Amino acid sequence: NNNLNFSLYSTWSVNVRFLYRFPDKLLVLTVATTETDGFKRFIRSARHFNYTIKVLGRGEKWRGGDYMSMPGGGQKVRLLKSTLEEITEEDKVVLFIDSYDVVFASGPKELLKKFQQVGHKVVFSAENLIWPDRHLEDKHPHVREGKRFLGSGGFIGYAPNLKTMVADWTGKDNESDQLFYTKIYITPEKRKSINITLDSKCRLFQNLYGALDEVVLKFEDGRVRARNVMYDTLPVIVHGNGPTKINYLGNYIPQTWTFETGCTVCDEDQRLLSGLKSEYPLVVIGIFIQQPTPFVSVFFERLFNLKYPKDRLKLFIYNHEPHHEQHVHSFLEDHGTEYRGVKVIGPEEDMDSVTSRNLGFDTCRQDIDCEYFFSLDAEVVLKNTDTLRILIEQNRPIIAPMITRPGKLWTNFWGALSADGYYARSEDYVDIVQGRRVGVWNVPYISSVYLVKATVLRTDLAAEDVFHSEALDPDMAFCRNVRDQVRSRCFLSPLQGVFMFVTNRQEFGRMLSTENYKTNHLHNDLWQLFENPLDWEERYIHENYSRIMTEDIVETPCPDVYWFPIFTDIACKHLIEEMENYGQWSGDPNRRHSTCTIQGGYENVPTIDIHMNQIDFDKDWQKFLLDYVAPITEKMFPGYYTQALFDLAFVVRYKPDEQPSLRPHHDASTFTINIALNQVGTDFQGGGCRFLRYDCSITAPRKGWALLHPGRLTHYHEGLPTTEGVRYIAVSFVDP
């Protein structure tokens, strides 16, 4: 018995070695009537491992039905049957595999070796889920371990056995190949005569539908594999069948991205614009303002600053908010004529978001010169002025720059989908967001900002209503309509085969929060310090403020009086205009602030002012003091720490015929902040502050600069007369 077993083992070993050492014995057949992005990915992986591929049905109209809604695929069986009739070699091994959602993870030798080790003549991929007829479940043979249901998207076998298997096919092109193969498999006599089995432990084929939790990436020696953790196997072929897509794994397998090389395909097929002798591509930029949005005027500034010839840009502006009409009008009044063309859809047209986005696509489709449509929502803070050029040069059908929300893992893309088509976090999502993995990533969802090729709009996305869905928002509907065309089992439709990408190869920008944005003020962006602190800082904090902590730029014009930049010109302008718009200045020059009495008998003198709490700005002002003034205080007065509490914070107005000056006084504070909001010599004459104890005057206050000085005891001071114009200062009595 031992001798007999050894003899059988030796014969088997010889056959295995013979087969996998001669990969030319393997022929890969696939059906692809159109060269989609998925097909190109499949071919790239096949070439990486030197597979011999024969494509069936190229250029033929697909009549195999829609796998997403009903069974189909009989056209594939017909094409396979016809091709097998031409194969005469008895020892020829044929792999029949889908291509639009398949990648190879290893080469022909490993595939043939694993096939031979199974010990059957035909091996089908296996699945956990039965389809399309659940009533056949009990007829499937039970397996000791692994998956027990047949998947028709991939199988391998000797040519004669496959000929026998498909010999009885007489069905129509739109009949089910899955049901045809399943009925053969569940019939014991046919299963035995053809010698069929399933790859139950995913050693050859990994179907992803219903099995995403089983599969992880395995990085080893500069290459990447998909590892099935349930069976501890390394499948040779990965198939994103059913509604499951292969985007995530296809970004790595077989060697698309590794830790050693980074992205190996990011620079392939680029369309470089540098040194371009002809005109730049014409781009239609679709701008969408759908809700009250902070910093819209800044959004338009960044749009104008994009490094791209204005005469090669057309603007399609959809504005649904009356509040933002002034911002659109102001931008177009200043710069509209610099662009090749402008179309505006205003709130008076009462157009919904879905219609506007479809119309934006149409604007590009119908313009024979348009080569790209760049969709840009007003919530996007596009910091990189080269964004448009970068996206065009990547030369992808649809590509988005990765944008984030500060301090959060939110981005404008999804790494994966859940079983019901909603958000799921991919294994690599956090690493991509945090920049530990850099590349161009095929993803199932993008939003807010992306570039679409016009050729895609005119062909694959030629339908007029790609943003419409009864149940989904426009972005989700658009992405579903795009990705669902990358059908498994070769389903083709007028919308098919489009991949979406996101790039994090450069820093691009971030996303604004539109929550709690009120429009009841003149300059509503002033109230965004809590919701959008970075944007608030960029808009309102002086560009040299950050140097205070690292450089010696704080000046000391008088003893223990510190002078430093804090506000931008626009911050000063907005605060003045906000106060004048409110208009309720304290008009009684003899009134006294009831909260200003201090120890020692001194009392503040009255001013013409408006308090921060009168315009509902007191909470924002305290945060400003805490975030931007307190650090300076602690630097200038070592050992003193403030919580930036105040009883009084107000804007004072000085006018020659109203209140030109302020008599000597102490402030009801531990320290006082006095910020000049306009410029001496330009907006007013005179003014300034004199500290009596030191006989020291500051007569040329700088716009946007703050004076910080003790309030009690030592710094008795007065406001010098304003002789012409109007002077404004923002005063805060801190730590009363």
Side-chain angles (χ1 to χ4, degrees):
N1 287 337
N2 288 338
N3 290 336
L4 178 59
N5 288 338
F6 177 77
S7 176
L8 290 173
Y9 175 78
S10 299
T11 302
W12 174 82
S13 298
V14 170
N15 288 337
V16 169
R17 288 197 298 271
F18 173 80
L19 189 58
Y20 79 77
R21 285 182 179 177
F22 293 93
D24 59 320
K25 293 294 182 182
L26 174 69
L27 174 63
V28 180
L29 299 179
T30 189
V31 175
T33 56
T34 303
E35 290 191 7
T36 67
D37 291 325
F39 176 78
K40 293 174 184 176
R41 178 182 58 191
F42 167 79
I43 292 297
R44 186 188 304 116
S45 70
R47 287 174 178 168
H48 181 80
F49 294 111
N50 294 317
Y51 280 94
T52 300
I53 308 290
K54 184 174 182 179
V55 181
L56 312 182
R58 194 189 297 266
E60 182 176 309
K61 184 177 180 180
W62 177 253
R63 298 182 177 86
D66 178 354
Y67 274 96
M68 293 301 161
S69 60
M70 64 186 68
Q75 187 173 354
K76 293 196 301 179
V77 186
R78 172 176 63 78
L79 291 169
L80 173 62
K81 179 179 178 180
S82 175
T83 303
L84 287 173
E85 291 173 355
E86 301 172 1
I87 299 176
T88 58
E89 301 100 315
E90 293 291 318
D91 59 349
K92 194 71 169 182
V93 178
V94 174
L95 169 67
F96 191 73
I97 190 74
D98 287 352
S99 60
Y100 291 156
D101 47 11
V102 169
V103 292
F104 288 102
S106 188
K109 288 185 178 181
E110 182 177 336
L111 177 67
L112 290 171
K113 181 177 181 179
K114 288 182 174 180
F115 166 61
Q116 194 77 12
Q117 288 173 343
V118 175
H120 287 257
K121 299 295 185 179
V122 176
V123 180
F124 272 84
S125 67
E127 302 184 15
N128 286 320
L129 307 173
I130 185 171
W131 185 87
D133 188 350
R134 295 182 179 179
H135 298 94
L136 300 177
E137 178 176 349
D138 292 339
K139 296 186 178 182
H140 280 72
H142 287 275
V143 296
R144 183 174 299 176
E145 183 182 7
K147 307 174 190 293
R148 60 182 287 231
F149 303 117
L150 176 145
S152 66
F155 52 87
I156 186 171
Y158 288 99
N161 300 75
L162 295 181
K163 284 183 184 180
T164 302
M165 184 176 70
V166 299
D168 294 335
W169 172 260
T170 57
K172 298 178 181 179
D173 281 356
N174 62 353
E175 293 184 14
S176 175
D177 63 330
Q178 174 85 13
L179 190 59
F180 172 71
Y181 293 128
T182 297
K183 288 183 176 180
I184 293 174
Y185 175 67
I186 64 176
T187 304
E189 298 79 9
K190 292 184 178 180
R191 182 171 69 247
K192 183 176 180 181
S193 64
I194 300 171
N195 199 359
I196 303 175
T197 191
L198 302 186
D199 179 34
S200 298
K201 295 184 180 180
C202 304
R203 298 181 71 243
L204 288 84
F205 305 95
Q206 176 65 63
N207 290 320
L208 296 178
Y209 186 39
L212 281 176
D213 293 340
E214 299 175 10
V215 183
V216 298
L217 290 169
K218 178 179 175 61
F219 296 88
E220 55 178 17
D221 301 327
R223 62 181 294 194
V224 190
R225 298 291 298 265
R227 176 173 174 254
N228 187 300
V229 295
M230 180 171 289
Y231 308 116
D232 195 23
T233 55
L234 297 175
V236 177
I237 298 162
V238 183
H239 183 195
N241 58 321
T244 308
K245 303 307 173 191
I246 201 172
N247 312 76
Y248 158 60
L249 297 174
N251 285 324
Y252 297 90
I253 300 170
Q255 200 173 355
T256 307
W257 191 99
T258 71
F259 285 106
E260 293 82 0
T261 64
C263 180
T264 64
V265 300
C266 287
D267 293 326
E268 291 182 1
D269 302 322
Q270 287 193 327
R271 180 181 184 176
L272 299 179
L273 297 180
S274 57
L276 189 67
K277 294 182 180 179
S278 59
E279 289 185 310
Y280 273 53
L282 181 69
V283 182
V284 174
I285 301 182
I287 298 155
F288 297 92
I289 308 173
Q290 300 177 119
Q291 59 192 340
T293 303
F295 303 105
V296 167
S297 58
V298 184
F299 168 86
F300 280 114
E301 290 174 13
R302 293 197 174 100
L303 174 69
F304 182 75
N305 289 330
L306 282 176
K307 294 179 181 177
Y308 203 89
K310 300 292 185 293
D311 63 347
R312 302 303 294 166
L313 295 175
K314 289 187 175 182
L315 302 182
F316 172 88
I317 302 176
Y318 166 73
N319 174 33
H320 191 254
E321 288 298 325
H323 170 70
H324 293 306
E325 283 192 282
Q326 58 176 325
H327 302 119
V328 175
H329 176 76
S330 177
F331 169 71
L332 293 180
E333 188 174 50
D334 292 340
H335 304 297
T337 57
E338 299 180 49
Y339 291 89
R340 190 178 182 92
V342 177
K343 180 179 178 63
V344 180
I345 306 294
E348 70 281 356
E349 299 191 38
D350 197 27
M351 182 181 292
D352 62 75
S353 175
V354 170
T355 304
S356 73
R357 291 184 183 273
N358 284 323
L359 182 60
F361 274 7
D362 274 343
T363 303
C364 179
R365 284 192 195 103
Q366 296 168 8
D367 185 339
I368 60 173
D369 295 322
C370 178
E371 292 192 54
Y372 295 93
F373 185 86
F374 185 43
S375 183
L376 183 61
D377 290 359
E379 301 96 302
V380 175
V381 180
L382 207 57
K383 298 281 289 179
N384 191 328
T385 57
D386 287 316
T387 296
L388 184 53
R389 293 167 54 97
I390 291 169
L391 297 182
I392 290 174
E393 289 186 338
Q394 283 295 165
N395 200 24
R396 298 300 198 271
I398 303 175
I399 185 169
M402 187 186 78
I403 57 172
T404 60
R405 189 160 280 163
K408 300 181 180 180
L409 288 175
W410 184 95
T411 65
N412 62 323
F413 79 95
W414 295 352
L417 296 175
S418 63
D420 56 358
Y422 288 87
Y423 173 82
R425 179 172 291 182
S426 60
E427 179 185 341
D428 60 350
Y429 180 80
V430 174
D431 282 344
I432 292 174
V433 174
Q434 297 180 346
R436 290 191 292 270
R437 300 186 190 182
V438 175
V440 179
W441 312 95
N442 180 208
V443 295
Y445 173 89
I446 56 175
S447 67
S448 305
V449 51
Y450 49 86
L451 184 75
V452 186
K453 283 187 175 181
T455 53
V456 173
L457 293 177
R458 297 185 185 109
T459 55
D460 301 295
L461 298 180
E464 296 179 354
D465 204 9
V466 295
F467 288 96
H468 177 73
S469 169
E470 296 295 336
L472 304 174
D473 65 40
D475 284 328
M476 289 185 67
F478 167 67
C479 293
R480 187 186 66 178
N481 285 333
V482 171
R483 69 175 180 262
D484 279 0
Q485 312 319 317
V486 190
R487 304 289 195 179
S488 68
R489 304 183 176 98
C490 311
F491 169 63
L492 300 180
S493 77
L495 297 173
Q496 69 85 33
V498 183
F499 276 12
M500 294 174 285
F501 295 87
V502 67
T503 174
N504 68 336
R505 300 182 77 189
Q506 293 86 8
E507 295 286 339
F508 292 102
R510 58 182 177 267
M511 192 72 159
L512 288 168
S513 169
T514 58
E515 297 177 8
N516 303 317
Y517 185 64
K518 309 298 184 184
T519 59
N520 54 324
H521 296 284
L522 179 64
H523 296 296
N524 299 283
D525 296 344
L526 279 170
W527 280 260
Q528 285 296 297
L529 181 52
F530 286 95
E531 295 295 337
N532 294 290
L534 284 180
D535 299 271
W536 194 93
E537 178 176 310
E538 289 181 1
R539 188 65 164 163
Y540 294 128
I541 296 299
H542 197 286
E543 61 180 358
N544 290 328
Y545 171 83
S546 60
R547 297 171 53 201
I548 294 174
M549 305 307 291
T550 58
E551 302 178 35
D552 187 20
I553 68 168
V554 177
E555 300 180 20
T556 310
C558 299
D560 287 328
V561 176
Y562 300 100
W563 204 12
F564 53 89
I566 197 160
F567 272 164
T568 62
D569 284 356
I570 198 70
C572 298
K573 178 177 183 291
H574 282 189
L575 195 53
I576 291 172
E577 291 179 352
E578 198 65 49
M579 292 302 183
E580 289 291 1
N581 183 64
Y582 180 75
Q584 298 182 32
W585 297 93
S586 58
D588 182 2
N590 297 312
R591 76 174 176 86
R592 295 169 180 245
H593 298 310
S594 61
T595 59
C596 293
T597 302
I598 63 174
Q599 295 179 358
Y602 294 106
E603 190 177 54
N604 280 5
V605 295
T607 54
I608 303 298
D609 56 47
I610 295 176
H611 289 237
M612 298 300 180
N613 60 7
Q614 289 179 263
I615 63 169
D616 195 29
F617 199 55
D618 48 330
K619 292 180 181 177
D620 302 81
W621 190 257
Q622 182 173 6
K623 182 169 175 59
F624 157 71
L625 293 175
L626 188 63
D627 290 353
Y628 296 100
V629 174
I632 310 303
T633 305
E634 293 164 11
K635 177 181 173 68
M636 297 299 103
F637 298 104
Y640 179 75
Y641 300 97
T642 177
Q643 294 182 338
L645 300 175
F646 63 86
D647 275 340
L648 287 176
F650 47 91
V651 170
V652 181
R653 184 175 73 184
Y654 291 111
K655 297 171 66 174
D657 58 350
E658 187 177 70
Q659 183 180 26
S661 61
L662 203 59
R663 67 176 183 263
H665 62 281
H666 280 289
D667 292 337
S669 66
T670 301
F671 68 91
T672 295
I673 293 293
N674 179 328
I675 304 173
L677 297 181
N678 56 349
Q679 187 61 51
V680 64
T682 302
D683 303 310
F684 63 91
Q685 300 292 335
C689 182
R690 176 172 175 260
F691 294 94
L692 278 67
R693 172 189 286 267
Y694 309 106
D695 192 22
C696 180
S697 298
I698 304 170
T699 56
R702 300 169 190 159
K703 183 177 181 180
W705 281 56
L707 287 173
L708 184 154
H709 61 81
R712 296 189 181 93
L713 192 61
T714 59
H715 282 65
Y716 194 57
H717 60 284
E718 64 180 336
L720 300 176
T722 298
T723 58
E724 290 183 23
V726 184
R727 178 188 176 211
Y728 298 90
I729 59 173
V731 179
S732 300
F733 295 166
V734 187
D735 295 347

